[in-house]
């Protein structure tokens, strides 16, 4: 089987050293086995994504010496594909509309309920609603309890090869309920899916065999494996790599312009210098 991996940035800001690590590692791992390396632009969050940052991604990755297959899949051009999956889940009775604001949820969580242990996941205020009651501006949530019943005969598991969590992981339904709860799959903006679902749909569509990404996304994997099981999609292998940190040991964020690739380029560093900095 041909090894196929992808680098899937969201164009919401400049690429920094952490992105460069992820992209270069994915590219190198694919090259090492004569595999394929794809670039995917995850731009479903229209409020935060900008064409300017997308252009900068192509520019920075090209400068780093990477090449990728054309055409590049831009998620904003495939919203109907993700919506079809939302409809599929809705027809299975696994989705409900939710009008709760962040502050509603905070208030519900801080009101102690007798006999109910404290939790930080969505308290289920709108769980009784059906899809016919959906209003513009409602989010769509997965009914986690029903979803887990749906896949109760399947073993949810994934193989991880990253340095921190290497091995076979069994996804525990209890743990998913406790840590993730009724996840948002369709965001408040009409026709906008959450990243978790769009990524699962496209990883299958693009026949991705190995997902290489930062350790910060390790905890998202259990939900993605559940979605794969619900939608009858294959579960790829995973490789969550170390995070690149700044000098103070803090994880890099898009706003940390000091570590932006564009900044290093402007300062006269070469792609080799970047590889050296990253130990690649
Ligand atoms: N688009 C996500 C990000 O920029 C990456 C998702 C993934 O690799 O699964 O953080």
């Amino acid at each position: 089987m041909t090894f196929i991996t992808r680098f899937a940035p969201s164009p919401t800001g400049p690429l920094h050293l952490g992105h460069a690590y992820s992209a270069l590692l994915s590219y190198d791992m694919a090259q090492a086995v004569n595999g394929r390396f794809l670039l995917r632009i995850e731009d479903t969050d229209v409020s935060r994504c900008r064409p300017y940052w997308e252009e900068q991604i192509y520019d920075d990755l090209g400068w780093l010496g990477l090449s990728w297959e054309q055409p590049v899949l831009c998620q904003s051009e495939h919203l109907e594909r993700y919506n079809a999956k939302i409809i599929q889940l809705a027809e299975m009775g696994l989705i409900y509309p939710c009008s709760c604001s962040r502050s509603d949820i905070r208030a519900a969580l801080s009101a102690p309920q007798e006999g109910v242990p404290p939790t930080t996941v969505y308290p289920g205020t709108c769980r009784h609603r059906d899809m016919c009651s959906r209003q513009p501006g409602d989010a769509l949530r997965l009914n986690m309890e029903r979803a887990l019943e749906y896949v109760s005969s399947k073993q949810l598991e994934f193989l991880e090869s990253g340095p921190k969590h290497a091995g076979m992981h069994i996804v525990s339904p209890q743990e998913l309920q406790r840590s993730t709860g009724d996840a948002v799959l369709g965001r408040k903006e009409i026709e906008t899916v959450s990243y978790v679902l769009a990524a699962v749909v496209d990883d299958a569509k693009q026949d991705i065999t190995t997902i290489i990404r930062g350790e910060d996304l390790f905890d998202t994997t259990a939900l993605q494996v559940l979605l794969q099981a619900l939608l009858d999609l294959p579960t790829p292998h995973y490789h969550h790599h170390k995070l690149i940190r700044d000098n103070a040991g803090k994880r890099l964020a898009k706003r940390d312009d000091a570590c932006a690739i564009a900044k290093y380029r402007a300062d006269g560093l070469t792609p080799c210098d970047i590889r050296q900095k990253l130990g690649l």
Side-chain angles (χ1 to χ4, degrees):
M1 187 167 66
T2 309
F3 178 102
I4 309 176
T5 192
R6 75 339 186 241
F7 176 57
S10 300
T12 55
L15 292 191
H16 54 58
L17 274 186
H19 296 106
Y21 184 76
S22 208
L24 287 165
L25 181 68
S26 308
Y27 182 80
D28 290 355
M29 283 175 68
Q31 291 282 98
V33 293
N34 243 332
R36 293 169 58 199
F37 170 77
L38 309 182
L39 173 62
R40 181 165 82 219
I41 301 293
E42 299 206 324
D43 57 351
T44 54
D45 185 351
V46 282
S47 63
R48 293 172 59 227
C49 294
R50 298 284 176 274
Y52 171 81
W53 294 123
E54 184 181 331
E55 285 309 314
Q56 185 82 47
I57 288 170
Y58 300 136
D59 210 45
D60 283 343
L61 295 180
W63 177 80
L64 280 169
L66 304 191
S67 56
W68 51 90
E69 295 181 17
Q70 299 292 341
V72 169
L73 192 161
C74 292
Q75 290 190 324
S76 60
E77 294 166 14
H78 297 275
L79 299 182
E80 73 296 340
R81 191 160 67 223
Y82 316 125
N83 276 319
K85 296 300 179 189
I86 295 238
I87 291 169
Q88 188 179 333
L89 293 170
E91 285 173 354
M92 292 157 74
L94 303 181
I95 300 258
Y96 63 87
C98 170
S99 56
C100 296
S101 64
R102 276 174 208 271
S103 55
D104 291 338
I105 296 172
R106 253 197 315 273
L109 288 174
S110 60
Q113 281 176 279
E114 214 177 324
V116 180
T119 163
T120 52
V121 303
Y122 179 65
T125 320
C126 290
R127 199 178 289 141
H128 62 280
R129 292 180 55 192
D130 63 28
M131 284 299 277
C132 302
S133 70
R134 187 181 187 189
Q135 299 291 327
D138 282 351
L140 295 177
R141 287 185 183 272
L142 180 69
N143 184 325
M144 182 58 85
E145 201 174 310
R146 276 201 206 152
L148 289 169
E149 275 166 24
Y150 214 94
V151 295
S152 59
S153 62
K154 296 191 186 182
Q155 168 93 302
L156 301 184
E157 58 185 18
F158 64 96
L159 184 62
E160 164 72 29
S161 61
K164 192 162 169 190
H165 306 277
M168 197 70 188
H169 289 258
I170 308 289
V171 174
S172 138
Q174 292 76 13
E175 179 59 19
L176 253 179
Q177 291 250 25
R178 200 190 54 73
S179 62
T180 307
D182 291 357
V184 170
L185 296 187
R187 296 204 318 248
K188 288 181 190 293
E189 302 84 7
I190 289 288
E191 309 268 335
T192 307
V193 283
S194 69
Y195 139 73
V196 263
L197 180 62
V200 159
V201 172
D202 282 342
D203 287 330
K205 170 90 185 152
Q206 298 188 292
D207 298 321
I208 301 301
T209 60
T210 305
I211 293 180
I212 301 163
R213 60 187 185 186
E215 261 161 20
D216 52 335
L217 289 169
F218 180 78
D219 290 341
T220 310
T221 311
L223 173 60
Q224 292 190 315
V225 170
L226 169 65
L227 292 173
Q228 287 152 4
L230 290 171
L231 295 169
D232 261 325
L233 301 173
T235 293
H237 293 172
Y238 288 84
H239 183 102
H240 290 90
H241 60 69
K242 70 174 182 184
L243 298 179
I244 304 299
R245 301 184 180 276
D246 65 13
N247 292 338
K250 205 167 65 56
R251 178 165 91 80
L252 299 180
K254 289 236 170 78
R255 56 191 172 281
D256 294 327
D257 282 5
C259 294
I261 306 301
K263 169 83 171 50
Y264 289 113
R265 291 173 65 179
D267 288 350
L269 269 72
T270 66
C272 269
D273 296 331
I274 303 287
R275 276 192 174 268
Q276 208 162 31
K277 259 182 173 310
L278 294 170
L280 287 171

